[in-house]
Amino acid sequence: MGKDIEVAILFADVVGSTQLYEQLGDVKAREMVGRCLDIMREATEANHGTVIKTMGDEVMSTFPTADDAMNAAKRMQERIAIAGELDHENGHVAIRIGCHFGSVVLENKDIFGSSVHTANRMTSQAKAGQIVLTSDTVGRLTPEWRACTRQIDVTSVRGQSEEIELYEVLWQQEDVTSMLPSIALDARVGHRPKRVTLSFQGRDYVLEDVNKMLTLGRAEENDVVVQGTLISRLHARIEFNRNRCLLVDQSTNGTFVTSEGGKESFVRRDSVTLEGQGLIGLGHLPEENAPDAIQYWLES
């Protein structure tokens, strides 16, 4: 009898292994692939993960939390990137990683279900040296890891009627630094919102915990459910990040923000800082008193 559990499912595989065998020969290529598998396994076990199976040049692992999966993925990429024994005359061996957090059936030390297919799809979307996640995985990350992600695309997945958003993890320090806001600048400005309130159709939604977020979209699992043909199932989220309140768009049609001073902002698969108070429109510019307009205000 299988057991239903929720886990982060991670696939990691060697990029271009077929060409590697053709270029280096069976013995040398097998040594390099085996070294990559050893690093993947070690990184999994060092971060509370379980290697479910190894398939040729690929490893499938599970983790109790999304953060554990990302810590393992980062370690895999870092170790393989610097491993001198993975250099060869045509370059350096690289891996790609995909991850999805969802429900699976655990049976006889193997896992089954649509979440496994989704995680595998993320790997096929990744390039050499890349870590690609679903929005469900991003939603399970702590703010520190979420700050290192950015939406890069949408794709279809077998068994799902709607496209899902793809996120990339910027695991290399220089990439992370380039996209993070300056802590010193935030401190100098002195703008440190502690609480944000959304008001929609007579109901207030409050966020004041840096470890949580408010999600907006047409799917029922969102905190703020907004119906409309231009609104994505998981349209946007609001979170606190390094002394700022961010609206992070995850949609096809984007999100509009109008501040109290009349400033208008549009964001699509990116983030914008919320300030003061104003209106949020999912998929179109918000209008005062419109039934689908979301009012927001910040408190320090």
Side-chain angles (χ1 to χ4, degrees), residues 164-194:
I164 63 174
E165 296 87 0
L166 305 184
Y167 287 80
E168 176 187 14
V169 177
L170 302 180
W171 58 272
Q172 294 174 304
Q173 187 60 45
E174 59 268 25
D175 290 337
V176 175
T177 302
S178 69
M179 74 173 294
L180 291 179
S182 168
I183 299 176
L185 177 61
D186 288 341
R188 185 176 67 248
V189 173
H191 182 63
R192 298 186 178 186
K194 303 295 185 184

Side-chain angles (χ1 to χ4, degrees), residues 13-64:
D13 68 22
V14 177
V15 177
S17 61
T18 300
Q19 291 85 349
L20 202 63
Y21 278 91
E22 292 175 352
Q23 294 169 354
L24 306 182
D26 292 347
V27 175
K28 184 62 175 179
R30 181 56 195 161
E31 288 178 358
M32 290 192 169
V33 169
R35 178 58 182 145
C36 289
L37 295 176
D38 288 342
I39 291 173
M40 295 172 189
R41 186 179 297 106
E42 184 275 333
T44 296
E45 295 172 352
N47 289 281
H48 314 108
T50 301
V51 175
I52 299 297
K53 63 177 71 172
T54 300
M55 302 156 284
D57 63 353
E58 181 178 60
V59 165
M60 179 176 73
S61 304
T62 59
F63 299 83

Side-chain angles (χ1 to χ4, degrees), residues 17-295:
S17 61
T18 300
Q19 291 85 349
L20 202 63
Y21 278 91
E22 292 175 352
Q23 294 169 354
L24 306 182
D26 292 347
V27 175
K28 184 62 175 179
R30 181 56 195 161
E31 288 178 358
M32 290 192 169
V33 169
R35 178 58 182 145
C36 289
L37 295 176
D38 288 342
I39 291 173
M40 295 172 189
R41 186 179 297 106
E42 184 275 333
T44 296
E45 295 172 352
N47 289 281
H48 314 108
T50 301
V51 175
I52 299 297
K53 63 177 71 172
T54 300
M55 302 156 284
D57 63 353
E58 181 178 60
V59 165
M60 179 176 73
S61 304
T62 59
F63 299 83
T65 71
D67 273 35
D68 287 333
M70 290 307 95
N71 289 333
K74 182 175 185 290
R75 182 164 179 162
M76 291 177 193
Q77 293 287 16
E78 288 178 336
R79 291 282 306 280
I80 285 175
I82 64 173
E85 65 271 29
L86 297 178
D87 287 330
H88 56 88
E89 53 266 35
N90 297 307
H92 186 90
V93 178
I95 65 169
R96 58 182 183 173
I97 298 173
C99 185
H100 172 63
F101 195 100
S103 299
V104 298
V105 176
L106 176 63
E107 185 174 356
N108 296 326
K109 297 184 179 180
D110 202 352
I111 56 173
F112 307 90
S114 62
S115 291
V116 179
H117 298 303
T118 301
N120 195 28
R121 176 65 171 160
M122 294 305 100
T123 311
S124 67
Q125 294 293 307
K127 300 175 183 178
Q130 200 172 31
I131 303 170
V132 172
L133 317 176
T134 60
S135 58
D136 289 332
T137 313
V138 174
R140 297 281 188 147
L141 294 172
T142 56
E144 291 76 15
W145 265 118
R146 283 205 303 271
C148 300
T149 67
R150 64 179 178 188
Q151 188 170 1
I152 56 173
D153 205 351
V154 295
T155 189
S156 58
V157 175
R158 185 178 68 183
Q160 295 192 26
S161 59
E162 296 189 8
E163 293 182 321
I164 63 174
E165 296 87 0
L166 305 184
Y167 287 80
E168 176 187 14
V169 177
L170 302 180
W171 58 272
Q172 294 174 304
Q173 187 60 45
E174 59 268 25
D175 290 337
V176 175
T177 302
S178 69
M179 74 173 294
L180 291 179
S182 168
I183 299 176
L185 177 61
D186 288 341
R188 185 176 67 248
V189 173
H191 182 63
R192 298 186 178 186
K194 303 295 185 184
R195 172 188 175 110
V196 60
T197 301
L198 304 184
S199 182
F200 179 66
Q201 295 186 349
R203 181 177 175 183
D204 290 346
Y205 305 82
V206 178
L207 177 65
E208 52 189 352
D209 188 335
V210 296
N211 295 313
K212 296 183 179 180
M213 61 183 172
L214 287 173
T215 58
L216 304 83
R218 73 170 191 270
E220 293 298 325
E221 61 262 33
N222 289 290
D223 298 304
V224 184
V225 179
V226 187
Q227 300 297 333
T229 57
L230 297 176
I231 299 172
S232 296
R233 187 173 62 89
L234 302 172
H235 197 101
R237 67 180 188 268
I238 293 176
E239 61 187 36
F240 288 112
N241 189 315
R242 295 180 179 265
N243 301 326
R244 302 191 305 169
C245 181
L246 294 182
L247 182 149
V248 183
D249 180 83
Q250 305 167 210
S251 72
T252 300
N253 295 307
T255 301
F256 294 79
V257 178
T258 303
S259 66
E260 57 184 334
K263 178 183 176 183
E264 296 179 357
S265 301
F266 172 74
V267 60
R268 181 174 178 267
R269 299 177 191 172
D270 205 342
S271 62
V272 63
T273 301
L274 297 181
E275 298 178 344
Q277 61 182 22
L279 297 174
I280 297 170
L282 305 184
H284 65 88
L285 196 65
E287 297 180 6
E288 193 78 33
N289 300 320
D292 59 353
I294 304 167
Q295 183 182 5

